[in-house]
């Protein structure tokens, strides 16, 4: 990739992404070309990101969840996602190791970005997740987790914390890794 022409991914970003992800150079270049076609400015706004989520969840209210996901991916807090943030996010959520995915999940739940999550933040994210769940899938949920409040309560119990305590990232990762039930509660997988 000796001479990079205008419009091509820079060698510096390419090398950095190869180190931080499991994507090959060819894959990164292909992702970049697609990214530039979809986002000619080289950045994705929160509104554009929400539009993408609405396409994945056409029968749900994906806006709130998309806002939280966007916040967790926008690592430099500039209100947009650049290609590097986009690819690292893609890697973490699709092919990354479980621990890395849980670190990302922690950043999703850490709404105020203070390095801790509270029961209130857990409830906020569970509420956003519930807006994604179809009526059919909602009817299939166990009685003790068929509302956002019940799910948040059940998840919080895994951390063995009082209602006004907080959970640090390491505690969160350890707590979820040690409890399959907690892992299931922090995500939403639409039924196929």
């Amino acid at each position: 990739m000796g001479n990079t022409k205008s419009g091509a991914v820079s060698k510096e970003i390419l090398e950095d992404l190869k180190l931080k992800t499991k994507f090959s150079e060819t894959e990164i270049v292909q992702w970049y070309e697609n990214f530039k076609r979809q986002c000619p400015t080289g950045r994705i706004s929160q509104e554009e990101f929400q539009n993408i989520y609405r396409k994945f969840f056409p029968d749900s209210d994906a806006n709130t969840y998309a806002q939280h996901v966007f916040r967790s991916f926008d690592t430099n807090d500039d209100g947009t996602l650049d290609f590097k943030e986009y690819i690292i996010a893609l890697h973490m959520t699709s092919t990354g190791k479980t621990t890395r995915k849980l670190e990302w999940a922690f950043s999703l739940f850490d709404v105020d970005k203070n390095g801790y999550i509270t029961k209130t933040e857990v409830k906020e994210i569970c509420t956003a997740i519930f807006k994604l769940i179809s009526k059919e899938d909602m009817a299939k949920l166990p009685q003790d987790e068929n509302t956002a409040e019940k799910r948040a309560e059940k998840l919080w119990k895994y951390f063995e914390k009082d209602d006004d305590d907080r959970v640090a990232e390491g505690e969160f990762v350890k707590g979820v890794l040690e409890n399959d039930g907690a892992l299931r509660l922090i995500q939403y997988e639409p039924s196929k």
Side-chain angles (χ1 to χ4, degrees), residues 5-126:
K5 59 186 182 291
S6 178
V9 63
S10 76
K11 191 161 190 66
E12 179 184 324
I13 290 175
L14 184 62
E15 292 304 318
D16 192 37
L17 288 174
K18 282 174 23 185
L19 287 172
K20 291 181 177 174
T21 71
K22 293 183 178 188
F23 298 134
S24 69
E25 184 168 325
T26 302
E27 289 172 317
I28 294 168
V29 169
Q30 288 173 341
W31 278 110
Y32 184 76
E33 289 169 0
N34 188 43
F35 182 84
K36 286 299 281 185
R37 262 194 308 281
Q38 299 294 320
C39 307
T41 64
R43 301 196 158 284
I44 299 174
S45 69
Q46 183 171 316
E47 185 178 320
E48 290 166 323
F49 192 79
Q50 287 174 281
N51 288 336
I52 293 167
Y53 259 77
R54 279 196 288 274
K55 289 176 187 170
F56 284 109
F57 298 97
D59 300 325
S60 304
D61 177 2
N63 283 339
T64 305
Y65 186 72
Q67 288 170 359
H68 286 296
V69 172
F70 183 89
R71 172 191 42 77
S72 72
F73 290 162
D74 183 14
T75 55
N76 64 0
D77 290 324
D78 70 351
T80 64
L81 298 182
D82 61 22
F83 178 69
K84 191 172 169 182
E85 289 169 318
Y86 175 75
I87 290 299
I88 289 172
L90 181 68
H91 168 71
M92 276 199 303
T93 57
S94 63
T95 62
K97 293 180 181 171
T98 302
T99 304
R100 292 282 290 153
K101 287 181 182 179
L102 292 176
E103 289 167 355
W104 169 74
F106 178 84
S107 73
L108 178 69
F109 279 86
D110 184 13
V111 175
D112 64 7
K113 294 186 173 191
N114 71 349
Y116 297 94
I117 59 172
T118 62
K119 187 174 181 182
T120 301
E121 289 171 316
V122 169
K123 184 178 174 193
E124 184 172 338
I125 299 303
C126 286

